[in-house]
Amino acid sequence: MNLKELSKQLGLSQTTVSRAINGYPEVSLATRNRVQDAARKFGYSPNVRAKGLATGRSLAIGHVVSVSQTHEMMNPVFGDFIAGAGDVYARHGYEMILSVVYDNTEEEVYRNHKRRGTVDGVIVHGPLIQEPRIDLLNELGLPYAVHGRSSGHSGPYTWLDVNNRSSFRRATSFLLDLGHQRLGLINGLEAMDFAARRRDGFEDAHKDHALALDPALLYSGEMTEGYGYRAASEMLSMDTPPTGFLISSMISAIGARRAIEERGLKMGRDVSIVTHDDALSYLENGSSVPIFTAVRSSVRDAGRQLAEMLIAKVSGTETQIKTALLEAQLVVGNSTGPMRPPLRKTHT
Amino acid sequence: MNLKELSKQLGLSQTTVSRAINGYPEVSLATRNRVQDAARKFGYSPNVRAKGLATGRSLAIGHVVSVSQTHEMMNPVFGDFIAGAGDVYARHGYEMILSVVYDNTEEEVYRNHKRRGTVDGVIVHGPLIQEPRIDLLNELGLPYAVHGRSSGHSGPYTWLDVNNRSSFRRATSFLLDLGHQRLGLINGLEAMDFAARRRDGFEDAHKDHALALDPALLYSGEMTEGYGYRAASEMLSMDTPPTGFLISSMISAIGARRAIEERGLKMGRDVSIVTHDDALSYLENGSSVPIFTAVRSSVRDAGRQLAEMLIAKVSGTETQIKTALLEAQLVVGNSTGPMRPPLRKTHT
DNA sequence: GCGTTAATTCAAAGCGCTTTGGTAAATGAT
DNA sequence: ATCATTTACCAAAGCGCTTTGAATTAACGC
């Protein structure tokens, strides 16, 4: 059933039917109801391509997920982010269009979106400190919203971010206050803006406590379980191993826990861990008491909020550039405890 | 730049330019090249909506991800699946359209896709034993391909599945052959087809070994880390606890490991685990020697293959109904070992 | 009762593409 | 040289919608 047929059924013009369906005022209440009832009855919905062609908009938002070339890694955070965003899109009648790129060719995807008019706007995931995508999108005139920020960019743009620096500063201070003096950082790739900020927070806290930090305890890599394991293992094998870790992801924290337990040590007693927790649905961090002490911020909520922001932008509801800075929650769980007398080096 | 402008530039008709771009034969090689060069030079790509409207196709494939209502869980497997599928779509010039539904209203999404012509076909994720979506899609005449199977369905349809039954039969036999006699199953929700098949495989192996299985050791739930932990904890607290577990997901296996270690037991020595491993990118199961003995099958490859199958179908390349049954690999890691004398019940 | 305004409705153009049904020129067969 | 093909191109229709500009009717003021 298309508009033509429906209007024939109703004995009305296409114009009127179209207007009735889209809620324009210049149609009487009676006919509006009649039209809407009929649409429901015949199961009519406007063809999305025809509508898009006529309006020049696509009612779609693009996401491009870049699979890291090094380890072909798909960021686990992505799933929950789109679970949040998708919900919002659906509510506003938008589609989500996902592109997967394997070799950092996101720019080509944006160019294509613009040229072919596939989407009305895009979400930028995982911004780097120096982020060429932002310049490109500005240049193209394709509306966008960034999940995170790019420190290398001064100009205003729409973004939503967790306050990574302050949350890692607080998390680090929490361990230092417990008496820990040597802390390891197991961070994400530090070309990424969020990771750089977390590192800054880590350093801030050391400065606050007038403590020097050992560069040998700064690890940065792709946040897999295995990376957490390897980084923690290496540090725990040092002559004076750290007594606490700050970790940028629950997945890596799980790996670090494995390294700790493999050595016969106990997490929370011998070695403390504070991790960032994105509140992923399949990694609930404990039911009553959290397994990991964590700075927590729901990435699904972030998805929801950022989607709202972008839709407001592309639909013209909001013309000002908005930003949002979320403060993470520091939740105390079983992975942290006070500093204990220095560990004897265990021979593995 | 649109077709009209481009053809004006070239002094050709829109017809010829369109044909040159789409590779139709009735245009001379000389003009074809001239057109394609010009298209590149001016950065022209056909508007996707206009093209869709004219051809009646959308060059898009729909995925609908259903966030479980119970725990608002986003299936972690999903990310890697679409990483595989998206790659294939891009190569074939298709878009991926993702819909998120929170309350199992997938059917409405399919109906909308059909009515509004948003997609040319859909991938069905996570089929149940009794799967109403398949009937609906047949009825709607919307092409589809199923990731998994639905036992309740006899009619032919396009699917790709891992041989879950045989892989769990082999995995279970592996433990039984090691002398284990009491095995726990930590399965996914058994309304889901894959989980039911895995349970069948678990039972098969017991029959093969002429062993009765204890219904108290059959757990089924949403495969989170926490669920793995709770299920394993409960079973390990029994008077005669199992000495081995079969687990349907690495995430739950990680939870089970936590339960084991919390009791001061050692995985692979005191308690064995065989898990299903979807080869998720951020959960690499060990580098040289796997952490977990596992039946492994890359869900990303599955995404690739199924995407190819569906595209062949919707593009009319392939008219026959194809299916694919993948055999999982049994990889032996550090989480399994021979049965040891019965455990003293440890008081926790 | 008549001009004016507001409330409804409509016909037709246009969005940017593909494709049908041609035509004109070039080629081939006889 | 003539007719039948083939080759290379084109004008125009149509995909299903929105929207402009106009027309009709109803309501209103005096």
Side-chain angles (χ1 to χ4, degrees):
Chain A
M1 165 85 42
N2 59 23
L3 186 62
K4 198 173 178 180
E5 289 163 29
L6 181 63
S7 37
K8 198 165 296 171
Q9 283 284 338
L10 286 161
L12 288 168
S13 74
Q14 295 190 34
T15 311
T16 307
V17 175
S18 168
R19 284 184 164 147
I21 284 174
N22 290 307
Y24 282 79
E26 53 272 81
V27 53
S28 73
L29 189 66
T31 51
R32 180 195 310 289
N33 287 336
R34 200 159 67 89
V35 168
Q36 288 179 345
D37 288 349
R40 225 185 322 276
K41 177 177 150 205
F42 292 113
Y44 169 77
S45 308
N47 178 295
V48 74
R49 276 166 277 129
K51 184 169 185 157
L53 185 55
T55 56
R57 309 202 300 137
S58 61
L59 294 181
I61 301 292
H63 288 241
V64 15
V65 25
S66 155
V67 177
S68 126
Q69 55 275 63
T70 16
H71 304 99
E72 297 235 319
M73 165 154 153
M74 170 79 192
N75 190 341
V77 158
F78 192 73
D80 270 64
F81 184 90
I82 61 171
D87 192 27
V88 171
Y89 296 151
R91 234 190 287 287
H92 287 80
Y94 276 71
E95 306 286 347
M96 166 159 58
I97 292 193
L98 218 81
S99 314
V100 177
V101 306
Y102 266 72
D103 37 4
N104 257 350
T105 52
E106 304 194 19
E107 308 208 355
E108 207 40 52
V109 174
Y110 293 145
R111 284 218 157 78
N112 277 329
H113 276 330
K114 178 67 184 181
R115 295 201 313 207
R116 322 195 322 178
T118 352
V119 302
D120 293 337
V122 297
I123 299 271
V124 174
H125 292 278
L128 306 175
I129 301 176
Q130 295 300 334
E131 185 49 76
R133 287 175 286 167
I134 295 181
D135 293 320
L136 176 66
L137 289 165
N138 283 335
E139 184 191 318
L140 290 175
L142 187 60
Y144 63 93
V146 183
H147 181 208
R149 276 173 288 177
S150 174
S151 305
H153 264 268
S154 48
Y157 56 90
T158 307
W159 55 261
L160 173 144
D161 201 3
V162 181
N163 196 338
N164 284 298
R165 184 167 185 166
S166 89
S167 77
F168 261 58
R169 182 182 199 156
R170 284 159 60 214
T172 308
S173 281
F174 178 78
L175 286 185
L176 295 176
D177 288 343
L178 283 169
H180 295 271
Q181 311 247 14
R182 270 179 75 72
L183 298 178
L185 175 65
I186 303 179
N187 204 358
L189 291 168
E190 288 179 355
M192 310 212 57
D193 199 81
F194 81 92
R197 287 178 193 270
R198 289 181 187 174
R199 182 183 175 146
D200 287 345
F202 184 74
E203 291 176 357
D204 286 348
H206 280 78
K207 284 205 196 84
D208 294 346
H209 285 71
L211 261 172
L213 50 75
D214 182 352
L217 298 181
L218 298 175
Y219 276 71
S220 155
E222 246 169 3
M223 298 183 296
T224 62
E225 199 267 356
Y227 182 70
Y229 171 80
R230 286 188 296 275
S233 293
E234 286 183 19
M235 288 191 256
L236 290 174
S237 302
M238 292 175 172
D239 288 335
T240 48
T243 63
F245 291 116
L246 281 111
I247 307 183
S248 260
S249 126
M250 280 266 291
I251 304 257
S252 297
I254 287 172
R257 180 178 75 201
R258 178 158 65 93
I260 291 169
E261 283 168 350
E262 193 181 79
R263 283 174 163 64
L265 303 174
K266 193 157 169 4
M267 177 175 83
R269 189 194 57 192
D270 305 311
V271 183
S272 288
I273 285 183
V274 183
T275 180
H276 179 86
D277 176 5
D278 289 297
L280 302 188
S281 44
Y282 49 90
L283 279 179
E284 1 135 29
N285 185 7
S287 28
S288 42
V289 179
I291 302 158
F292 291 104
T293 297
V295 275
R296 178 186 291 167
S297 176
S298 161
V299 74
R300 190 179 297 204
D301 276 351
R304 282 206 189 87
Q305 288 189 46
L306 195 58
E308 292 283 5
M309 288 163 73
L310 183 54
I311 285 183
K313 192 169 174 181
V314 300
S315 69
T317 313
E318 178 66 60
T319 53
Q320 285 203 307
I321 289 183
K322 295 264 177 180
T323 63
L325 186 58
L326 310 177
E327 210 60 51
Q329 230 185 340
L330 176 56
V331 295
V332 178
N334 285 327
S335 68
T336 45
M339 169 66 179
R340 313 174 80 218
L343 295 166
R344 265 318 132 77
K345 172 135 173 53
T346 56
H347 296 277
T348 42
Chain B
M1 164 85 41
N2 60 21
L3 186 61
K4 198 172 178 180
E5 289 164 31
L6 182 62
S7 37
K8 198 165 295 172
Q9 283 285 337
L10 287 161
L12 288 169
S13 74
Q14 294 190 35
T15 311
T16 307
V17 175
S18 168
R19 286 186 162 145
I21 284 173
N22 290 306
Y24 282 79
E26 52 273 80
V27 51
S28 74
L29 188 65
T31 51
R32 178 192 313 289
N33 287 336
R34 199 159 68 89
V35 168
Q36 288 179 346
D37 287 351
R40 225 185 322 275
K41 176 176 152 207
F42 293 113
Y44 168 78
S45 309
N47 178 296
V48 74
R49 276 165 277 128
K51 185 170 185 156
L53 185 55
T55 56
R57 310 203 299 138
S58 60
L59 294 181
I61 301 293
H63 288 242
V64 16
V65 26
S66 154
V67 177
S68 127
Q69 56 275 63
T70 17
H71 304 99
E72 297 236 320
M73 164 154 154
M74 171 79 191
N75 190 342
V77 157
F78 192 72
D80 270 63
F81 185 91
I82 62 172
D87 192 28
V88 171
Y89 296 151
R91 233 189 288 287
H92 288 79
Y94 276 71
E95 306 286 349
M96 167 158 58
I97 293 194
L98 219 79
S99 314
V100 177
V101 305
Y102 266 71
D103 38 3
N104 255 351
T105 51
E106 303 195 18
E107 308 208 354
E108 207 40 53
V109 174
Y110 293 145
R111 283 217 159 77
N112 278 331
H113 276 330
K114 178 66 185 185
R115 294 199 315 206
R116 324 196 320 177
T118 354
V119 302
D120 293 337
V122 297
I123 298 272
V124 174
H125 292 278
L128 306 175
I129 301 176
Q130 295 300 335
E131 186 47 76
R133 286 176 287 168
I134 294 181
D135 293 320
L136 175 67
L137 288 166
N138 284 334
E139 185 192 318
L140 289 175
L142 187 61
Y144 63 94
V146 183
H147 182 207
R149 276 173 288 176
S150 174
S151 306
H153 263 270
S154 48
Y157 56 90
T158 306
W159 55 261
L160 173 142
D161 200 3
V162 182
N163 196 338
N164 284 298
R165 183 166 186 168
S166 89
S167 78
F168 262 58
R169 182 182 199 157
R170 285 158 61 214
T172 307
S173 281
F174 178 78
L175 285 186
L176 296 177
D177 288 343
L178 283 169
H180 294 272
Q181 312 247 12
R182 270 180 77 71
L183 299 178
L185 175 65
I186 303 178
N187 205 359
L189 290 169
E190 289 179 355
M192 309 213 56
D193 199 80
F194 82 91
R197 286 178 193 270
R198 288 181 187 174
R199 182 183 174 147
D200 288 344
F202 184 73
E203 291 176 357
D204 287 347
H206 280 79
K207 284 205 195 85
D208 294 346
H209 285 71
L211 262 172
L213 50 75
D214 183 351
L217 300 180
L218 300 175
Y219 276 71
S220 156
E222 246 167 6
M223 299 183 295
T224 62
E225 199 267 355
Y227 182 69
Y229 171 79
R230 287 187 295 276
S233 293
E234 287 184 19
M235 289 191 256
L236 291 173
S237 301
M238 292 175 174
D239 289 334
T240 49
T243 61
F245 290 116
L246 281 111
I247 307 183
S248 260
S249 126
M250 282 267 291
I251 304 255
S252 298
I254 288 171
R257 179 177 76 201
R258 178 159 63 93
I260 290 169
E261 284 169 348
E262 193 182 79
R263 284 176 161 63
L265 303 174
K266 193 159 167 6
M267 177 175 83
R269 189 193 59 191
D270 305 312
V271 182
S272 289
I273 285 184
V274 183
T275 180
H276 179 87
D277 176 5
D278 289 297
L280 301 187
S281 44
Y282 48 90
L283 278 179
E284 3 135 27
N285 184 8
S287 28
S288 42
V289 179
I291 302 158
F292 290 104
T293 298
V295 275
R296 178 185 291 166
S297 176
S298 161
V299 72
R300 189 179 295 204
D301 277 350
R304 282 206 188 89
Q305 287 188 44
L306 195 58
E308 293 283 6
M309 287 162 73
L310 183 55
I311 286 184
K313 192 170 173 180
V314 301
S315 68
T317 314
E318 179 66 61
T319 53
Q320 285 202 307
I321 289 183
K322 295 264 179 182
T323 63
L325 186 58
L326 310 177
E327 211 60 50
Q329 231 185 340
L330 176 57
V331 295
V332 178
N334 285 327
S335 67
T336 45
M339 167 66 180
R340 314 174 78 219
L343 296 165
R344 262 322 128 77
K345 173 135 173 53
T346 54
H347 296 277
T348 42

